[in-house]
Amino acid sequence: MSTTHDDAPLAAQVRHLEAVLEERGWLAPGEIDERLDAFAAGGSPAHGAAIVARAWIDPDFRARLLADASAAIGELGFSMGGALQEQELIVVANDADEHHVVVCTLCSCYPIALLGPSPSWYKSEAYRSRVVRDPRGVLGELGLELPASTRITVWDASAESRYLVLPRRPEGTDDLTEAELAGLVTRKGLIGTAAV
């Protein structure tokens, strides 16, 4: 599937505005690119994985995370910062009966600070429209086959709220350290398109 976008007029306007701001001394040359690079570099799937690993080993943290995720992640030094306004983080936990998956049907709202830049498929119109109508089919296409008895709940992110999936802890991992557990968690698992 390919989509053609004619972004050239908008890109030219953005470059012009950036040049004017630099000429007036309101921005240093290249400052916008530097800030965007710093913002993108600050987010990483390792942050989300660390949150999940802590929830797997600490039941009290897990309870706080599910009750008020925005506050709980602060205990680990993370935030949803970087945006013009703080977004609410909502964590939804998979269990034996229910699997959660996240989408933004409007655009591609996504917790960059905790997952790094979003994957291209997450932003695609195909994923955004189809996962709501046929979540089991889309998950299967992405390599996740769930039992027919598993209920699938799709969460629609917005400008105000971002979601993170708390995957089920894999069996046979009781002897792993928190860091080793974090190493098992994938970005797809944090979105809900993989088991972990």
Side-chain angles (χ1 to χ4, degrees):
M1 164 187 6
S2 71
T3 307
T4 303
H5 298 284
D6 186 8
D7 295 336
L10 179 59
Q13 290 176 344
V14 169
R15 284 192 302 274
H16 173 73
L17 178 59
E18 186 175 358
V20 169
L21 294 172
E22 288 175 0
E23 286 172 10
R24 294 187 180 171
W26 294 343
L27 284 177
E31 183 176 348
I32 290 178
D33 288 335
E34 290 171 13
R35 288 183 183 222
L36 288 172
D37 290 344
F39 176 68
S44 167
H47 298 166
I51 292 165
V52 167
R54 177 64 57 89
W56 283 346
I57 65 165
D58 183 342
D60 292 334
F61 177 77
R62 177 189 168 96
R64 291 189 302 277
L65 184 67
L66 295 173
D68 184 355
S70 296
I73 65 172
E75 298 173 27
L76 302 180
F78 301 121
S79 76
M80 292 295 292
L84 295 177
Q85 71 179 50
E86 190 84 6
Q87 295 112 3
E88 177 184 19
L89 177 65
I90 300 165
V91 173
V92 290
N94 289 344
D95 60 34
D97 299 317
E98 185 173 22
H99 183 88
H100 300 279
V101 63
V102 179
V103 66
C104 177
T105 56
L106 183 60
C107 54
S108 58
C109 295
Y110 179 85
I112 293 172
L114 302 178
L115 301 182
S118 58
S120 58
W121 56 263
Y122 182 86
K123 298 178 273 191
S124 74
E125 186 176 341
Y127 174 77
R128 293 181 2 237
S129 62
R130 289 190 53 234
V131 76
V132 174
R133 290 189 324 263
D134 181 21
R136 191 172 303 278
V138 170
L139 293 177
E141 290 171 17
L142 292 170
L144 179 61
E145 298 292 338
L146 296 170
S149 61
T150 302
R151 184 175 59 251
I152 300 173
T153 302
V154 178
W155 296 91
D156 194 358
S158 69
E160 296 81 26
S161 300
R162 303 289 197 264
Y163 292 89
L164 184 138
V165 174
L166 176 58
R168 295 175 61 194
R169 183 174 177 166
E171 292 184 24
T173 60
D174 291 342
D175 60 339
L176 296 183
T177 66
E178 186 172 349
E180 291 169 329
L181 287 169
L184 300 176
V185 180
T186 66
R187 178 169 51 185
K188 286 177 69 177
L190 298 167
I191 297 170
T193 56
V196 180

